Amino acid sequence: MKVLITGTAGFIGFHLAKKLIEQDISVVGVDNINDYYDIELKYARLAECGIDKVNVNWHREVTSTKYSNYRFIRMNIESKGELMSLCHREQFDVIVHLAAQAGVRYSILNPDAYAQSNLVSFLNILEVSRHNPVKHLVYASSSSVYGLNSTMPFSVHDNVDHPVSLYAASKKANELMAHTYSHLYKIPTSGLRFFTVYGPWGRPDMAYFLFAEAISKKEPIPVFNHGKMKRDFTYIDDIVSGIINVMNSPAQPDQNWDSKHPDPSRSTAPYRIYNIGNNNPVELMSFIGEIEKSMGEKAIIDYKGMQPGDVTSTWANVDDLINNFNYKPTTSIKEGIEKFIRWYKEYYG
């Protein structure tokens, strides 16, 4: 199997690439290494997979010094021609598209970045999948698409037409675009709605990372909605396990799909949507408490109101993953936080 992973300098992309190459799967990773957050952390992730920063240059293919089955190219997938040339040359079996402009709050201030990174780039991914047919296109969606939905747990069988951030809207748009290409060109596509992913090598803009940083510096941590929040925190290893399960089973048409009562998670086209979460929402203050225990220090809490574009709770119904792949998250919040804090202290000294 030969796999293209976009966003391999990113958090989830790095962990997925490392897992696959350790399983002796041939992987080509691409990333534009933008400065949305610390690029040195991105280069450090690449270095963990044997890609030295000094060898990374735009449009240059670099072979890992640790894994002969891993190659990396710094490229911008908004450039359709370059991406098309790569896919035509390599003839990938599977594409896992994880590159995107992330962040709910950032989308309030920088909407243009989301149109380019999340819409134009995804259209390019669909186009290369069409012209260089793949066995399966797997792409990142988000729990943010549930927006104003209040029925818990969130189910892929529910309607998600009321996003509350441009980031969420862009991810919903990706799902609609994928369905169109699955319908027109029979491309098997699977969208994965990730629920609050955390763990070592994580994103510095995520709340748990900011909490650890503030506690280590003895600075106040902003806690929105006065701490009355719940999140379905999901450890990175459980996320990667779910991605690989889905990746290895291309989406199939649902012969029983009823157009009079349409299920948004499937279709007569080879199209699927899955939640990947822990199926166990945790109170934000309890989560902070686990960080305090692992760091051996108390947090200074600065309670704030609700942030625009945010939601109070997330909770993943993962029945489809359980039924189809026997998916079962195994990492407790205590264990996951301990692993993250161990990495955090080692990386930042």
Side-chain angles (χ1 to χ4, degrees):
M1 183 187 294
K2 185 186 290 185
V3 180
L4 170 65
I5 304 175
T6 68
T8 50
F11 176 34
I12 300 175
F14 154 70
H15 280 279
L16 176 63
K18 195 167 189 295
K19 188 71 172 180
L20 291 180
I21 56 184
E22 287 173 349
Q23 294 177 355
D24 208 28
I25 291 172
S26 177
V27 174
V28 175
V30 300
D31 200 297
N32 66 2
I33 316 180
N34 67 30
D35 62 358
Y36 170 61
Y37 60 80
D38 180 18
I39 63 170
E40 293 306 319
L41 176 58
K42 297 182 179 183
Y43 280 119
R45 292 178 184 137
L46 291 174
E48 280 290 300
C49 290
I51 305 295
D52 195 316
K53 176 183 176 180
V54 299
N55 296 323
V56 174
N57 231 317
W58 284 104
H59 322 303
R60 176 184 178 183
E61 182 180 290
V62 182
T63 300
S64 168
T65 56
K66 294 182 180 179
Y67 306 96
S68 60
N69 56 325
Y70 181 49
R71 290 170 289 152
F72 176 80
I73 306 169
R74 185 179 186 183
M75 66 183 294
N76 195 334
I77 58 175
E78 293 165 31
S79 172
K80 181 178 177 180
E82 187 176 2
L83 183 63
M84 190 72 76
S85 296
L86 172 65
C87 292
H88 179 72
R89 183 173 69 249
E90 296 289 343
Q91 294 295 303
F92 296 105
D93 297 300
V94 175
I95 295 177
V96 183
H97 176 55
L98 301 173
Q101 178 58 61
V104 169
R105 291 163 191 160
Y106 189 73
S107 70
I108 305 289
L109 303 173
N110 300 274
D112 291 350
Y114 292 77
Q116 291 299 315
S117 295
N118 297 5
L119 299 179
V120 173
S121 294
F122 190 61
L123 178 59
N124 290 342
I125 289 292
L126 291 169
E127 278 287 284
V128 298
S129 300
R130 168 192 173 190
H131 292 290
N132 303 278
V134 294
K135 296 175 183 175
H136 200 186
L137 167 60
V138 180
Y139 61 94
S141 185
S142 168
S143 61
S144 298
V145 301
Y146 288 102
L148 292 178
N149 283 28
S150 58
T151 302
M152 295 286 177
F154 292 149
S155 170
V156 293
H157 307 294
D158 294 338
N159 182 283
V160 287
D161 284 342
H162 299 89
V164 293
S165 70
L166 185 62
Y167 170 68
S170 72
K171 289 300 184 180
K172 167 67 173 177
N174 287 171
E175 296 178 1
L176 296 175
M177 294 161 73
H179 181 267
T180 302
Y181 272 69
S182 292
H183 173 74
L184 291 174
Y185 309 114
K186 310 308 177 189
I187 301 168
T189 66
S190 293
L192 308 178
R193 294 174 179 169
F194 297 135
F195 280 70
T196 318
V197 189
Y198 75 101
W201 298 99
R203 278 174 31 209
D205 64 314
M206 294 293 285
Y208 69 94
F209 207 115
L210 294 171
F211 293 160
E213 182 178 37
I215 292 171
S216 68
K217 294 179 179 179
K218 295 179 170 44
E219 295 175 351
I221 63 174
V223 176
F224 295 99
N225 201 37
H226 303 282
K228 297 174 183 177
M229 309 271 276
K230 285 185 178 182
R231 288 292 181 269
D232 201 345
F233 295 101
T234 314
Y235 189 68
I236 183 61
D237 289 357
D238 294 321
I239 290 287
V240 168
S241 171
I243 296 173
I244 293 174
N245 282 337
V246 172
M247 188 186 86
N248 290 330
S249 298
Q252 301 294 324
D254 182 357
Q255 304 300 335
N256 297 317
W257 192 79
D258 183 358
S259 61
K260 293 180 180 178
H261 304 91
D263 181 340
S265 73
R266 57 194 64 211
S267 171
T268 54
Y271 170 87
R272 285 289 189 277
I273 298 293
Y274 295 101
N275 285 336
I276 297 190
N278 203 38
N279 193 27
N280 180 31
V282 174
E283 296 276 359
L284 180 59
M285 298 310 297
S286 298
F287 190 77
I288 293 172
E290 290 297 338
I291 296 176
E292 291 175 322
K293 290 176 189 174
S294 290
M295 296 196 73
E297 295 185 55
K298 295 293 289 183
I300 304 169
I301 307 294
D302 179 16
Y303 290 109
K304 293 182 176 293
M306 192 67 169
Q307 281 277 96
D310 214 344
V311 296
T312 57
S313 302
T314 64
W315 180 3
N317 179 324
V318 294
D319 287 352
D320 283 15
L321 273 188
I322 293 171
N323 295 335
N324 293 354
F325 307 107
N326 197 30
Y327 172 76
K328 184 175 176 59
T330 59
T331 310
S332 68
I333 293 297
K334 180 179 185 297
E335 180 186 0
I337 287 297
E338 286 176 350
K339 288 180 177 180
F340 165 69
I341 296 300
R342 193 178 308 127
W343 167 83
Y344 180 88
K345 289 182 176 180
E346 182 179 331
Y347 183 79
Y348 288 102

